[in-house]
Amino acid sequence: MAAAGIVLAGGKGTRMQSEIPKQYMLLAGKPLLYYSLRAFEESKVESVVLVTAEGEEDYCRTELVERYGFTKVTAVTAGGAERYESVFHGLQAAGTPEYVLIHDGARPLVTAELINRLLGQTESYGACVAGMPVKDTIQMTDENGVITLTPKRESLWIAQTPQAFEFSLVYHAYERLMEEPEIDVTDDAMVVGLYGDTPVQMVRGSYTNLKVTTPEDMAFAEALLKKRQSREPEKGK
């Protein structure tokens, strides 16, 4: 089973209120992006494509891939202006694996265990997304802020990454999207849902697999990371 990972790290992170792109900001002493790459390095995937902002490829090769010895990163490529363009660039650089997992580098608390579990589920279903059931009541409103619908909480999930697919399925879906770029898509499962004929299976992820978007998220992620690291020595007991 040949599987590749695509890690997206081309965002500017304007909501972080920092001149440093969030993927390079230090989280517990290491760049935020380091943690996603380490999880893929420790997983069953055979190769990783790192997708960066244009002009940052050499920096990432030197300061991340080479510095931390990520041997599974086989390609570092520039992304596009939009997320879907970056994903397509990553798919083009991935070769022809049987399966591919697409992950936002702004989710540093992903684990090798989750990556491996998604990969196993994708062998069965062909398309899987990590996610968690919502905890709160969700309200839909009209343009004036008036509540129009309260969906049943039991059927609502928060989509996360990685999102995993048979490579040919997601590649051909993105090929079709690139021909119709005016369509607004927010994640890979939506692209596969629009252009593929394979149902996407939701797989339970983790509430700690948060996306770092604001300074508050950074502080929360660091607290969770330190808690996780404090438990790691216990594994060997």
Side-chain angles (χ1 to χ4, degrees):
M1 176 187 62
I6 295 174
V7 178
L8 305 173
K12 297 185 182 299
T14 54
R15 283 177 285 182
M16 286 298 295
Q17 303 170 20
S18 172
E19 294 182 0
I20 302 173
K22 64 182 175 184
Q23 58 267 30
Y24 307 132
M25 294 177 68
L26 294 183
L27 177 64
K30 291 184 174 65
L32 184 143
L33 182 55
Y34 160 87
Y35 297 97
S36 295
L37 293 176
R38 186 181 71 174
F40 275 90
E41 184 79 13
E42 295 173 349
S43 76
K44 293 180 180 179
V45 303
E46 296 179 352
S47 63
V48 176
V49 175
L50 176 58
V51 184
T52 73
E54 188 172 359
E56 295 179 1
E57 302 96 311
D58 289 342
Y59 174 86
C60 284
R61 285 191 192 94
T62 302
E63 297 301 322
L64 282 162
V65 178
E66 295 176 6
R67 181 177 181 183
Y68 295 105
F70 292 127
T71 60
K72 290 187 179 180
V73 178
T74 56
V76 180
T77 187
E82 302 293 337
R83 184 187 185 278
Y84 70 87
E85 294 175 307
S86 295
V87 173
F88 191 58
H89 289 184
L91 291 169
Q92 289 178 311
T96 55
E98 190 174 358
Y99 301 100
V100 64
L101 297 97
I102 303 167
H103 182 64
D104 290 329
R107 292 185 184 271
L109 296 179
V110 66
T111 63
E113 184 276 332
L114 175 56
I115 294 168
N116 293 340
R117 186 154 45 85
L118 270 168
L119 188 54
Q121 292 294 304
T122 306
E123 289 185 76
S124 300
Y125 295 103
C128 293
V129 171
M132 291 300 290
V134 300
K135 296 180 178 180
D136 301 317
T137 297
I138 304 298
Q139 307 281 14
M140 294 182 65
T141 67
D142 62 17
E143 63 276 9
N144 298 312
V146 176
I147 294 173
T148 59
L149 178 66
T150 305
K152 290 185 178 181
R153 190 167 56 187
E154 292 79 9
S155 63
L156 298 176
W157 288 63
I158 302 169
Q160 302 177 341
T161 65
Q163 301 192 357
F165 310 92
E166 292 179 353
F167 182 80
S168 59
L169 171 68
V170 69
Y171 187 87
H172 293 315
Y174 265 94
E175 275 190 319
R176 292 187 60 186
L177 175 64
M178 296 301 291
E179 297 172 357
E180 304 178 90
E182 68 277 2
I183 295 179
D184 185 25
V185 294
T186 55
D187 74 349
D188 313 299
M190 185 176 178
V191 178
V192 169
L194 284 171
Y195 297 109
D197 57 2
T198 300
V200 181
Q201 179 73 28
M202 186 67 77
V203 175
R204 192 176 183 90
S206 170
Y207 287 116
T208 63
N209 184 23
L210 79 162
K211 185 175 183 180
V212 174
T213 304
T214 66
E216 293 79 11
D217 294 334
M218 196 74 165
F220 188 32
E222 183 152 354
L224 289 171
L225 181 62
K226 288 181 177 179
K227 184 176 181 180
R228 177 189 293 176
Q229 291 174 336
S230 70
R231 293 175 175 176
E232 286 180 351
E234 298 178 3
K235 297 178 180 179
K237 292 183 179 181

